[in-house]
Amino acid sequence: MPPPSAVDLRVAAITGNSRMLLCGEGDLALDLETWEEGYATAPPADMEAFTQHVIDQGAPNNMIIDCSASEVVAGHYKDWLKRGMNLVTPNKKANSGPLEYYKE
């Protein structure tokens, strides 16, 4: 267990347009030295399963980092924020769509 002042960052899942890699049951995080090998043969991306996996990890502060320019991914922002997940992104799609969606 890290000291109380330390930051303990763990990557529990990685997804792209076509694939997603989730850490295994009982694992706290993906191995960032070898994740690319697993991602190459990972199952198809499923944003609902991805989201549920991140939530199921039970971390006190879940964070999604979206480095895409995908409208599909941006379409999940509202749900992620409502579920209490933190979001970091340069993706402009969510803020350049309909004003009503932006307000929500």
Side-chain angles (χ1 to χ4, degrees):
M1 185 93 167
S5 62
V7 175
D8 182 16
L9 296 176
R10 299 176 188 172
V11 177
I14 298 173
T15 190
N17 288 332
S18 60
R19 301 192 177 283
M20 70 176 183
L21 180 63
L22 311 176
C23 66
E25 190 171 325
D27 292 337
L28 296 176
L30 293 170
D31 181 344
L32 297 181
E33 297 290 325
T34 61
W35 73 270
E36 290 174 294
E37 296 165 16
Y39 189 79
T41 59
D46 175 339
M47 293 305 286
E48 293 304 318
F50 172 83
T51 301
Q52 193 60 52
H53 178 78
V54 172
I55 290 169
D56 289 347
Q57 292 303 300
N61 297 297
N62 290 323
M63 180 178 296
I64 300 288
I65 301 172
D66 173 21
C67 298
S68 76
S70 169
E71 286 185 45
V72 172
V73 175
H76 291 274
Y77 289 0
K78 184 172 66 170
D79 178 51
W80 291 338
L81 293 169
K82 282 183 178 180
R83 292 180 181 214
M85 302 171 94
N86 297 291
L87 179 63
V88 176
T89 183
N91 187 339
K92 300 173 190 170
K93 299 296 183 177
N95 295 333
S96 62
L99 182 58
E100 191 59 38
Y101 182 80
Y102 173 80
K103 288 179 178 181
E104 290 178 8

XYZ file of all heavy atoms in Angstrom:
790
model
N 0.852 -1.179 0.000
C 0.000 0.000 0.000
C 0.892 1.234 0.000
O 1.791 1.349 0.820
C -0.889 -0.052 1.237
C -1.896 1.028 1.310
S -3.402 0.379 0.568
C -4.549 1.576 1.050
N 0.653 2.177 -0.919
C 1.487 3.376 -0.957
C 1.216 4.270 0.258
O 0.151 4.186 0.871
C 1.054 4.067 -2.250
C -0.286 3.510 -2.564
C -0.349 2.148 -1.953
N 2.184 5.105 0.598
C 1.951 6.045 1.703
C 0.775 6.960 1.377
O 0.448 7.171 0.208
C 3.251 6.842 1.785
C 4.173 6.292 0.780
C 3.475 5.233 -0.008
N 0.112 7.518 2.390
C -1.082 8.345 2.163
C -0.872 9.521 1.214
O -1.779 9.942 0.553
C -1.451 8.846 3.556
C -0.767 7.931 4.492
C 0.421 7.360 3.785
N 0.332 10.044 1.127
C 0.563 11.200 0.266
C 0.900 10.809 -1.166
O 0.995 11.662 -2.032
C 1.700 12.053 0.843
O 2.895 11.287 0.874
N 1.087 9.524 -1.443
C 1.449 9.071 -2.785
C 0.209 8.960 -3.672
O -0.893 8.737 -3.194
C 2.146 7.718 -2.711
N 0.414 9.099 -4.949
C -0.650 8.912 -5.930
C -0.486 7.515 -6.515
O 0.600 7.126 -6.933
C -0.569 9.979 -7.045
C -1.588 9.702 -8.126
C -0.764 11.366 -6.457
N -1.559 6.770 -6.540
C -1.537 5.401 -7.051
C -2.416 5.340 -8.299
O -3.632 5.200 -8.192
C -2.046 4.448 -5.960
C -2.002 3.000 -6.384
O -1.312 2.668 -7.370
O -2.676 2.191 -5.725
N -1.811 5.477 -9.473
C -2.558 5.443 -10.729
C -2.523 4.037 -11.304
O -1.463 3.413 -11.360
C -1.953 6.410 -11.743
C -2.002 7.881 -11.382
C -1.268 8.695 -12.436
C -3.429 8.355 -11.247
N -3.682 3.565 -11.740
C -3.794 2.238 -12.340
C -4.617 2.329 -13.607
O -5.675 2.946 -13.620
C -4.468 1.273 -11.373
C -3.704 1.100 -10.096
C -4.448 0.233 -9.134
N -3.773 0.241 -7.850
C -4.267 -0.301 -6.765
N -5.446 -0.896 -6.792
N -3.597 -0.259 -5.640
N -4.143 1.687 -14.650
C -4.878 1.624 -15.913
C -5.642 0.301 -15.923
O -5.034 -0.766 -15.979
C -3.928 1.736 -17.122
C -4.710 1.593 -18.424
C -3.171 3.056 -17.085
N -6.954 0.397 -15.836
C -7.800 -0.796 -15.754
C -8.329 -1.239 -17.114
O -8.729 -2.384 -17.276
C -8.977 -0.532 -14.819
N -8.332 -0.336 -18.096
C -8.904 -0.661 -19.400
C -8.380 0.304 -20.452
O -8.115 1.464 -20.162
C -10.425 -0.584 -19.337
N -8.239 -0.211 -21.662
C -7.843 0.602 -22.816
C -8.771 0.220 -23.955
O -8.994 -0.963 -24.217
C -6.380 0.335 -23.220
C -5.424 0.722 -22.087
C -6.035 1.083 -24.510
C -3.972 0.338 -22.339
N -9.312 1.224 -24.626
C -10.163 0.932 -25.771
C -9.843 1.868 -26.920
O -9.322 2.964 -26.727
C -11.667 1.010 -25.408
O -12.431 0.490 -26.499
C -12.112 2.420 -25.107
N -10.151 1.401 -28.101
C -10.023 2.190 -29.310
C -11.302 2.019 -30.105
O -12.316 1.561 -29.569
N -11.253 2.348 -31.366
C -12.452 2.227 -32.202
C -12.886 0.784 -32.407
O -14.067 0.499 -32.514
C -12.209 2.865 -33.572
C -12.170 4.362 -33.494
O -12.788 4.961 -32.621
N -11.432 4.982 -34.385
N -11.915 -0.131 -32.452
C -12.277 -1.501 -32.797
C -12.055 -2.526 -31.688
O -12.702 -3.557 -31.687
C -11.491 -1.939 -34.041
O -10.101 -1.882 -33.776
N -11.163 -2.268 -30.748
C -10.833 -3.250 -29.712
C -10.842 -2.626 -28.330
O -10.723 -1.419 -28.179
C -9.449 -3.842 -29.958
C -9.316 -4.522 -31.290
C -8.043 -5.326 -31.350
N -7.921 -6.039 -32.598
C -8.582 -7.152 -32.895
N -9.408 -7.683 -32.041
N -8.418 -7.743 -34.059
N -10.943 -3.504 -27.305
C -10.796 -3.029 -25.934
C -10.053 -4.085 -25.129
O -10.247 -5.285 -25.319
C -12.135 -2.704 -25.293
C -13.010 -3.868 -24.991
S -14.506 -3.325 -24.144
C -15.261 -4.908 -23.841
N -9.200 -3.618 -24.247
C -8.423 -4.498 -23.387
C -8.776 -4.154 -21.942
O -8.643 -3.005 -21.528
C -6.928 -4.295 -23.636
C -5.970 -5.137 -22.810
C -6.156 -6.627 -23.110
C -4.528 -4.716 -23.084
N -9.259 -5.144 -21.211
C -9.650 -4.955 -19.819
C -8.708 -5.766 -18.947
O -8.307 -6.870 -19.326
C -11.089 -5.428 -19.599
C -12.144 -4.927 -20.585
C -13.495 -5.563 -20.273
C -12.242 -3.414 -20.566
N -8.360 -5.242 -17.779
C -7.525 -6.040 -16.886
C -8.327 -7.255 -16.439
O -9.557 -7.223 -16.375
C -7.010 -5.219 -15.704
S -8.238 -4.638 -14.541
N -7.631 -8.335 -16.167
C -8.282 -9.581 -15.822
C -8.949 -9.545 -14.463
O -8.638 -8.694 -13.623
N -9.872 -10.466 -14.256
C -10.567 -10.557 -12.980
C -9.529 -10.798 -11.876
O -8.669 -11.668 -11.995
C -11.577 -11.697 -13.013
C -12.495 -11.699 -11.813
C -13.626 -12.699 -11.971
O -14.097 -12.886 -13.106
O -14.009 -13.271 -10.947
N -9.603 -10.013 -10.830
C -8.652 -10.115 -9.732
C -7.414 -9.259 -9.921
O -6.657 -9.046 -8.983
N -7.169 -8.779 -11.145
C -6.033 -7.888 -11.394
C -6.434 -6.458 -11.067
O -7.569 -6.048 -11.324
C -5.583 -7.953 -12.858
C -4.974 -9.289 -13.226
O -4.509 -9.993 -12.317
O -4.964 -9.616 -14.430
N -5.497 -5.702 -10.537
C -5.772 -4.302 -10.212
C -5.540 -3.382 -11.396
O -6.072 -2.283 -11.438
C -4.902 -3.863 -9.032
C -5.169 -4.580 -7.719
C -4.184 -4.118 -6.662
C -6.602 -4.350 -7.260
N -4.707 -3.827 -12.342
C -4.368 -2.959 -13.461
C -3.786 -3.772 -14.613
O -3.380 -4.919 -14.434
C -3.364 -1.908 -13.008
N -3.742 -3.131 -15.775
C -3.065 -3.716 -16.924
C -1.557 -3.550 -16.747
O -1.105 -2.578 -16.130
C -3.492 -3.002 -18.211
C -4.943 -3.186 -18.643
C -5.286 -2.234 -19.769
C -5.191 -4.625 -19.058
N -0.800 -4.464 -17.302
C 0.655 -4.340 -17.300
C 1.025 -3.405 -18.456
O 0.862 -3.767 -19.629
C 1.292 -5.722 -17.489
C 2.807 -5.681 -17.467
O 3.403 -4.583 -17.605
O 3.404 -6.754 -17.306
N 1.514 -2.235 -18.136
C 1.797 -1.245 -19.175
C 3.059 -1.563 -19.969
O 3.331 -0.906 -20.975
C 1.877 0.154 -18.559
C 0.565 0.627 -17.936
C 0.717 2.040 -17.378
C -0.581 0.573 -18.929
N 3.791 -2.581 -19.558
C 4.954 -3.034 -20.323
C 4.532 -3.960 -21.466
O 5.238 -4.066 -22.466
C 5.947 -3.757 -19.407
C 6.529 -2.891 -18.309
C 7.476 -1.833 -18.839
O 8.185 -2.107 -19.827
O 7.481 -0.723 -18.270
N 3.376 -4.625 -21.312
C 2.983 -5.646 -22.293
C 1.569 -5.467 -22.850
O 1.071 -6.348 -23.550
C 3.066 -7.050 -21.644
O 2.166 -7.102 -20.532
C 4.479 -7.358 -21.192
N 0.913 -4.360 -22.570
C -0.492 -4.198 -22.951
C -0.714 -4.321 -24.456
O -1.748 -4.812 -24.894
C -1.058 -2.872 -22.433
C -0.564 -1.667 -23.163
C 0.531 -0.925 -22.876
C -1.147 -1.068 -24.321
N 0.677 0.102 -23.780
C -0.349 0.035 -24.683
C -2.266 -1.361 -25.101
C -0.619 0.849 -25.775
C -2.551 -0.543 -26.201
C -1.727 0.543 -26.515
N 0.257 -3.877 -25.255
C 0.074 -3.897 -26.709
C -0.096 -5.321 -27.247
O -0.850 -5.526 -28.196
C 1.239 -3.196 -27.404
C 1.217 -1.693 -27.165
C 2.433 -0.993 -27.728
O 3.536 -1.246 -27.227
O 2.241 -0.202 -28.674
N 0.559 -6.278 -26.629
C 0.411 -7.673 -27.046
C -1.023 -8.143 -26.819
O -1.613 -8.788 -27.678
C 1.384 -8.551 -26.259
C 2.833 -8.246 -26.523
C 3.768 -8.858 -25.487
O 3.342 -9.757 -24.733
O 4.930 -8.432 -25.437
N -1.581 -7.833 -25.670
C -2.958 -8.207 -25.377
C -3.964 -7.463 -26.229
O -4.969 -8.021 -26.663
N -3.671 -6.203 -26.499
C -4.593 -5.384 -27.295
C -4.691 -5.890 -28.729
O -5.753 -5.824 -29.349
C -4.143 -3.919 -27.270
C -5.138 -2.976 -27.881
C -6.258 -2.576 -27.166
C -4.969 -2.486 -29.162
C -7.193 -1.710 -27.716
C -5.893 -1.620 -29.724
C -6.995 -1.232 -29.003
O -7.911 -0.377 -29.547
N -3.610 -6.422 -29.256
C -3.587 -6.911 -30.638
C -4.606 -8.025 -30.868
O -5.107 -8.193 -31.976
C -2.188 -7.391 -31.004
N -4.925 -8.779 -29.817
C -5.879 -9.888 -29.955
C -7.107 -9.687 -29.065
O -7.855 -10.633 -28.810
C -5.198 -11.219 -29.591
O -4.718 -11.140 -28.245
C -4.043 -11.522 -30.530
N -7.306 -8.467 -28.610
C -8.415 -8.168 -27.696
C -9.762 -8.258 -28.416
O -9.832 -8.135 -29.639
C -8.235 -6.771 -27.105
N -10.841 -8.451 -27.654
C -12.175 -8.532 -28.257
C -12.639 -7.176 -28.801
O -12.041 -6.140 -28.491
C -13.060 -8.988 -27.094
C -12.331 -8.591 -25.867
C -10.871 -8.640 -26.211
N -13.704 -7.187 -29.579
C -14.234 -5.935 -30.123
C -14.618 -4.941 -29.026
O -15.016 -5.330 -27.927
C -15.484 -6.377 -30.895
C -15.266 -7.819 -31.183
C -14.463 -8.349 -30.023
N -14.480 -3.660 -29.344
C -14.832 -2.601 -28.399
C -16.329 -2.624 -28.120
O -17.138 -2.811 -29.029
C -14.424 -1.239 -28.959
N -16.668 -2.441 -26.869
C -18.055 -2.380 -26.404
C -18.066 -1.333 -25.294
O -17.621 -1.612 -24.176
C -18.489 -3.748 -25.891
C -19.884 -3.767 -25.277
O -20.395 -2.694 -24.871
O -20.455 -4.860 -25.184
N -18.538 -0.132 -25.588
C -18.429 0.979 -24.645
C -19.194 0.740 -23.351
O -18.773 1.175 -22.287
C -18.867 2.292 -25.299
C -17.934 2.750 -26.417
S -16.207 2.889 -25.917
C -16.288 4.356 -24.943
N -20.314 0.025 -23.411
C -21.058 -0.265 -22.185
C -20.264 -1.222 -21.288
O -20.173 -1.023 -20.084
C -22.437 -0.836 -22.506
C -23.364 0.160 -23.181
C -23.547 1.450 -22.389
O -23.684 1.402 -21.161
O -23.543 2.523 -23.018
N -19.688 -2.256 -21.888
C -18.879 -3.204 -21.123
C -17.621 -2.531 -20.586
O -17.205 -2.774 -19.450
C -18.504 -4.407 -21.988
N -17.029 -1.664 -21.385
C -15.847 -0.902 -20.970
C -16.178 -0.049 -19.741
O -15.473 -0.083 -18.734
C -15.381 -0.018 -22.133
C -14.294 0.956 -21.788
C -12.968 0.556 -21.780
C -14.598 2.276 -21.487
C -11.959 1.460 -21.472
C -13.603 3.180 -21.168
C -12.278 2.771 -21.165
N -17.275 0.691 -19.827
C -17.700 1.561 -18.724
C -17.974 0.752 -17.469
O -17.513 1.100 -16.373
C -18.957 2.367 -19.130
O -18.650 3.148 -20.288
C -19.433 3.256 -18.011
N -18.700 -0.348 -17.604
C -19.019 -1.172 -16.440
C -17.762 -1.760 -15.817
O -17.645 -1.840 -14.594
C -20.012 -2.269 -16.807
C -20.618 -2.938 -15.596
C -21.372 -1.953 -14.706
O -22.235 -1.208 -15.167
N -21.038 -1.928 -13.427
N -16.819 -2.160 -16.633
C -15.561 -2.707 -16.121
C -14.826 -1.664 -15.282
O -14.342 -1.971 -14.195
C -14.666 -3.176 -17.272
C -13.345 -3.698 -16.818
N -13.184 -4.957 -16.289
C -12.120 -3.110 -16.780
C -11.914 -5.125 -15.952
N -11.258 -4.023 -16.248
N -14.751 -0.447 -15.778
C -14.068 0.618 -15.029
C -14.772 0.847 -13.692
O -14.126 0.933 -12.643
C -13.990 1.923 -15.863
C -13.467 3.080 -15.022
C -13.110 1.712 -17.099
N -16.081 0.890 -13.695
C -16.845 1.093 -12.457
C -16.638 -0.084 -11.505
O -16.434 0.104 -10.304
C -18.338 1.295 -12.775
C -18.543 2.642 -13.461
C -19.190 1.184 -11.513
C -19.907 2.839 -14.052
N -16.659 -1.299 -12.039
C -16.521 -2.501 -11.216
C -15.157 -2.609 -10.539
O -15.008 -3.372 -9.585
C -16.780 -3.756 -12.040
C -18.248 -3.916 -12.418
O -19.102 -3.203 -11.849
O -18.529 -4.752 -13.299
N -14.172 -1.868 -11.017
C -12.852 -1.913 -10.399
C -12.886 -1.355 -8.969
O -12.026 -1.646 -8.161
C -11.818 -1.155 -11.229
C -11.500 -1.821 -12.556
C -11.021 -3.250 -12.376
O -10.022 -3.507 -11.731
N -11.767 -4.198 -12.932
N -13.903 -0.536 -8.669
C -14.086 -0.042 -7.311
C -13.092 1.014 -6.878
O -12.937 1.267 -5.681
N -12.425 1.635 -7.800
C -11.480 2.696 -7.444
C -12.241 3.893 -6.878
O -13.360 4.185 -7.319
C -10.675 3.122 -8.666
N -11.663 4.583 -5.912
C -12.361 5.731 -5.337
C -12.507 6.899 -6.311
O -13.408 7.709 -6.178
C -11.500 6.126 -4.137
C -10.157 5.546 -4.415
C -10.387 4.334 -5.264
N -11.642 6.975 -7.307
C -11.686 8.053 -8.293
C -11.438 7.479 -9.679
O -10.298 7.321 -10.099
C -10.621 9.120 -7.989
C -10.854 9.789 -6.678
O -11.870 10.440 -6.482
N -9.933 9.610 -5.741
N -12.516 7.155 -10.386
C -12.383 6.652 -11.753
C -12.143 7.809 -12.700
O -12.768 8.861 -12.571
C -13.658 5.930 -12.183
C -13.845 4.631 -11.459
O -12.887 3.933 -11.202
N -15.076 4.309 -11.113
N -11.267 7.597 -13.669
C -10.989 8.633 -14.648
C -10.951 8.018 -16.038
O -10.324 6.983 -16.243
C -9.649 9.299 -14.368
C -9.317 10.387 -15.377
S -7.765 11.219 -15.004
C -8.167 11.964 -13.437
N -11.628 8.654 -16.964
C -11.571 8.288 -18.372
C -10.700 9.340 -19.048
O -10.932 10.541 -18.881
C -12.973 8.294 -19.027
C -13.913 7.303 -18.343
C -12.877 8.049 -20.525
C -13.615 5.851 -18.606
N -9.720 8.891 -19.805
C -8.894 9.802 -20.591
C -9.187 9.491 -22.047
O -8.867 8.396 -22.531
C -7.397 9.634 -20.275
C -7.166 9.910 -18.785
C -6.557 10.566 -21.151
C -5.770 9.602 -18.305
N -9.827 10.407 -22.724
C -10.222 10.220 -24.121
C -9.293 11.047 -24.998
O -9.352 12.262 -24.995
C -11.675 10.656 -24.330
C -12.073 10.641 -25.796
O -11.414 9.939 -26.591
O -13.040 11.337 -26.145
N -8.458 10.361 -25.755
C -7.530 11.035 -26.667
C -8.005 10.902 -28.114
O -7.222 11.069 -29.046
C -6.131 10.449 -26.516
S -5.444 10.661 -24.876
N -9.260 10.581 -28.297
C -9.794 10.400 -29.644
C -10.396 11.711 -30.151
O -10.446 12.705 -29.449
C -10.888 9.325 -29.632
O -12.086 9.840 -29.074
N -10.853 11.644 -31.364
C -11.648 12.728 -31.932
C -12.981 12.129 -32.366
O -13.564 12.516 -33.364
C -10.922 13.351 -33.117
N -13.448 11.179 -31.579
C -14.619 10.397 -31.930
C -15.907 10.979 -31.353
O -15.998 11.231 -30.161
C -14.432 8.973 -31.407
O -15.623 8.238 -31.486
N -16.904 11.134 -32.220
C -18.228 11.541 -31.752
C -18.873 10.418 -30.950
O -19.635 10.673 -30.016
C -19.116 11.912 -32.938
C -18.752 13.243 -33.558
C -19.721 13.648 -34.650
O -20.948 13.515 -34.446
O -19.240 14.112 -35.702
N -18.576 9.179 -31.305
C -19.134 8.030 -30.587
C -18.670 8.059 -29.135
O -19.471 7.917 -28.209
C -18.737 6.700 -31.273
C -19.153 5.515 -30.435
C -19.347 6.622 -32.664
N -17.381 8.248 -28.916
C -16.856 8.303 -27.553
C -17.408 9.526 -26.821
O -17.856 9.429 -25.678
C -15.311 8.320 -27.551
C -14.769 8.491 -26.138
C -14.765 7.040 -28.180
N -17.424 10.666 -27.466
C -17.952 11.882 -26.846
C -19.416 11.718 -26.456
O -19.878 12.322 -25.489
C -17.792 13.071 -27.791
N -20.130 10.863 -27.164
C -21.524 10.593 -26.840
C -21.701 9.902 -25.493
O -22.805 9.857 -24.958
N -20.639 9.392 -24.921
C -20.697 8.716 -23.620
C -20.341 9.646 -22.462
O -20.490 9.267 -21.299
C -19.765 7.503 -23.610
C -20.229 6.408 -24.499
N -21.127 5.447 -24.092
C -19.949 6.141 -25.793
C -21.367 4.634 -25.093
N -20.668 5.037 -26.138
N -19.879 10.840 -22.745
C -19.436 11.757 -21.681
C -20.516 11.994 -20.637
O -20.256 11.951 -19.445
C -19.003 13.099 -22.258
C -17.728 13.110 -23.038
C -16.969 11.957 -23.243
C -17.260 14.293 -23.594
C -15.795 11.995 -23.979
C -16.074 14.340 -24.312
C -15.348 13.198 -24.508
O -14.181 13.249 -25.224
N -21.717 12.290 -21.093
C -22.810 12.605 -20.167
C -23.050 11.446 -19.203
O -23.175 11.655 -17.987
C -24.077 12.949 -20.949
C -25.240 13.377 -20.085
C -26.407 13.895 -20.906
C -27.024 12.814 -21.735
N -28.290 13.214 -22.375
N -23.080 10.234 -19.713
C -23.283 9.053 -18.873
C -22.126 8.895 -17.888
O -22.343 8.626 -16.707
C -23.416 7.802 -19.742
C -23.575 6.540 -18.921
O -24.456 6.516 -18.028
O -22.823 5.582 -19.161
N -20.894 9.038 -18.361
C -19.735 8.899 -17.483
C -19.770 9.928 -16.357
O -19.531 9.604 -15.204
C -18.441 9.031 -18.270
C -18.168 7.889 -19.203
C -18.687 6.618 -19.124
C -17.341 7.902 -20.354
N -18.211 5.852 -20.153
C -17.389 6.603 -20.923
C -16.566 8.876 -20.967
C -16.662 6.265 -22.067
C -15.844 8.541 -22.099
C -15.908 7.250 -22.646
N -20.085 11.155 -16.702
C -20.124 12.208 -15.678
C -21.258 11.963 -14.679
O -21.079 12.157 -13.474
C -20.248 13.579 -16.337
C -19.017 14.008 -17.150
C -19.333 15.241 -17.985
C -17.813 14.230 -16.256
N -22.415 11.509 -15.165
C -23.526 11.198 -14.264
C -23.170 10.056 -13.310
O -23.682 10.000 -12.202
C -24.784 10.821 -15.057
C -25.509 12.003 -15.625
C -26.779 11.570 -16.323
C -27.533 12.771 -16.850
N -28.765 12.383 -17.538
N -22.305 9.159 -13.738
C -21.875 8.036 -12.909
C -20.727 8.419 -11.965
O -20.194 7.572 -11.270
C -21.456 6.862 -13.780
C -22.603 6.225 -14.536
C -22.065 5.084 -15.364
N -23.108 4.438 -16.133
C -23.117 3.134 -16.392
N -22.181 2.347 -15.907
N -24.065 2.616 -17.120
N -20.355 9.703 -11.988
C -19.312 10.176 -11.080
C -17.898 9.949 -11.566
O -16.947 10.060 -10.797
N -17.757 9.638 -12.836
C -16.421 9.422 -13.390
C -15.819 10.754 -13.797
O -16.534 11.658 -14.234
C -16.498 8.480 -14.586
C -17.120 7.141 -14.237
S -17.460 6.126 -15.662
C -15.968 5.164 -15.693
N -14.522 10.873 -13.625
C -13.811 12.070 -14.061
C -13.435 11.900 -15.525
O -13.210 10.786 -15.986
C -12.557 12.262 -13.205
C -12.914 12.483 -11.756
O -13.465 13.501 -11.404
N -12.625 11.495 -10.918
N -13.329 12.993 -16.242
C -13.067 12.941 -17.673
C -12.004 13.966 -18.040
O -12.106 15.137 -17.664
C -14.368 13.231 -18.442
C -14.321 13.256 -19.946
C -13.941 11.892 -20.505
C -15.656 13.693 -20.504
N -10.986 13.501 -18.764
C -9.939 14.373 -19.289
C -9.912 14.138 -20.787
O -9.810 12.996 -21.235
C -8.558 14.023 -18.678
C -7.461 14.862 -19.304
C -8.585 14.184 -17.173
N -10.010 15.216 -21.560
C -10.059 15.035 -23.010
C -9.756 16.324 -23.781
O -10.146 17.404 -23.355
C -11.451 14.523 -23.448
O -11.425 14.305 -24.867
C -12.553 15.494 -23.098
N -9.086 16.192 -24.927
C -8.982 17.304 -25.858
C -10.053 17.187 -26.956
O -10.107 18.007 -27.861
C -7.579 17.139 -26.450
C -7.371 15.665 -26.453
C -8.100 15.156 -25.218
N -10.896 16.148 -26.877
C -11.919 15.881 -27.884
C -12.955 17.011 -27.880
O -13.605 17.252 -26.877
C -12.588 14.537 -27.597
C -13.536 14.098 -28.685
O -14.021 14.901 -29.465
N -13.820 12.810 -28.723
N -13.106 17.676 -29.001
C -14.015 18.823 -29.112
C -15.431 18.435 -29.531
O -16.317 19.267 -29.545
C -13.456 19.815 -30.133
C -12.099 20.350 -29.763
C -11.543 21.193 -30.892
C -10.092 21.520 -30.612
N -9.446 22.117 -31.762
N -15.645 17.170 -29.850
C -16.932 16.749 -30.408
C -18.113 16.991 -29.467
O -19.181 17.389 -29.907
C -16.892 15.276 -30.807
C -15.867 14.954 -31.865
C -16.173 15.642 -33.165
C -15.159 15.234 -34.210
N -15.413 15.786 -35.512
N -17.932 16.758 -28.177
C -19.050 16.944 -27.246
C -19.435 18.404 -27.094
O -20.591 18.714 -26.817
C -18.695 16.368 -25.875
N -18.483 19.292 -27.261
C -18.763 20.717 -27.066
C -19.051 21.459 -28.366
O -19.301 22.660 -28.337
C -17.588 21.383 -26.353
C -17.408 20.839 -24.963
O -18.355 20.369 -24.347
N -16.196 20.878 -24.465
N -19.009 20.760 -29.473
C -19.292 21.427 -30.741
C -20.563 20.894 -31.392
O -20.872 21.250 -32.518
C -18.108 21.252 -31.701
O -17.909 19.889 -31.986
N -21.296 20.061 -30.660
C -22.547 19.515 -31.165
C -23.718 20.397 -30.760
O -23.557 21.592 -30.510
N -24.878 19.810 -30.627
C -26.065 20.566 -30.247
C -25.906 21.245 -28.871
O -25.356 20.649 -27.937
C -27.170 19.506 -30.200
C -26.665 18.378 -31.038
C -25.180 18.405 -30.898
N -26.379 22.470 -28.751
C -26.272 23.231 -27.510
C -26.972 22.519 -26.358
O -26.487 22.528 -25.226
C -26.856 24.635 -27.694
C -26.763 25.557 -26.492
C -25.317 25.753 -26.043
C -27.425 26.885 -26.797
N -28.087 21.855 -26.620
C -28.822 21.148 -25.572
C -27.972 20.041 -24.956
O -27.956 19.873 -23.741
C -30.128 20.565 -26.134
C -31.065 20.060 -25.071
C -31.479 21.133 -24.080
O -31.683 22.288 -24.469
O -31.592 20.807 -22.875
N -27.250 19.293 -25.800
C -26.365 18.239 -25.288
C -25.265 18.857 -24.429
O -24.946 18.348 -23.355
C -25.751 17.434 -26.424
C -24.871 16.299 -25.936
C -25.428 15.100 -25.512
C -23.493 16.449 -25.846
C -24.638 14.068 -25.041
C -22.693 15.430 -25.372
C -23.272 14.246 -24.973
O -22.467 13.228 -24.487
N -24.698 19.938 -24.868
C -23.638 20.625 -24.112
C -24.154 21.045 -22.730
O -23.476 20.855 -21.724
C -23.150 21.845 -24.898
C -22.184 22.704 -24.125
C -20.849 22.354 -24.016
C -22.610 23.874 -23.492
C -19.948 23.130 -23.297
C -21.727 24.657 -22.785
C -20.399 24.290 -22.692
O -19.529 25.065 -21.981
N -25.352 21.582 -22.687
C -25.929 22.027 -21.402
C -26.179 20.863 -20.459
O -26.064 21.006 -19.248
C -27.218 22.797 -21.639
C -26.996 24.160 -22.241
C -28.323 24.865 -22.474
C -28.140 26.240 -23.037
N -29.426 26.930 -23.244
N -26.550 19.719 -21.022
C -26.788 18.532 -20.181
C -25.493 18.070 -19.569
O -25.418 17.561 -18.489
C -27.401 17.406 -20.997
C -28.811 17.673 -21.403
C -29.390 16.566 -22.268
O -28.752 15.509 -22.426
O -30.475 16.746 -22.806
